[in-house]
């Protein structure tokens, strides 16, 4: 791979409690760096932008899978 990857993630949909916190936990689990985060909630609708840096040693596909389809406990 050779170097880290910087990605912009844009997501929107209904807001729910602890959504942003859960997303941060997933990224911490994979040791992904959050470079910037911009959430906005309007009438219970969330618009979220994240700039993340995936380290060279981490495969991006599992990170993105868990971000968009979080594991359930």
């Amino acid at each position: 791979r050779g170097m880290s990857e910087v990605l912009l993630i844009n997501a929107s949909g209904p807001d729910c409690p602890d959504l942003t916190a859960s997303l941060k936990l997933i990224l911490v689990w994979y040791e992904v760096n959050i470079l910037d985060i911009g959430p906005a909630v309007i009438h219970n609708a969330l618009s979220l932008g994240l700039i993340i840096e995936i380290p060279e040693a981490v495969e991006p596909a599992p990170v993105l899978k868990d971000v968009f389809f979080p594991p359930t406990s």
Side-chain angles (χ1 to χ4, degrees), residues 26-50:
I26 291 168
L27 297 174
V28 166
W29 171 261
Y30 284 105
E31 299 179 356
V32 169
N33 298 316
I34 300 172
L35 302 177
D36 199 3
I37 184 168
V41 179
I42 301 172
H43 291 288
N44 231 14
L46 174 67
S47 178
L48 181 65
L50 287 165

Side-chain angles (χ1 to χ4, degrees), residues 17-26:
D18 299 325
L19 180 64
T20 303
S22 298
L23 182 58
K24 288 178 187 177
L25 285 175
I26 291 168

Side-chain angles (χ1 to χ4, degrees), residues 1 3 8 13 19 21 24 31 33-34 38 41 45 56 66-67 72:
R1 296 190 18 154
M3 55 192 309
L8 169 63
L19 180 64
K24 288 178 187 177
E31 299 179 356
N33 298 316
I34 300 172
V41 179
E56 180 181 342
D66 285 350
V67 164
T72 57

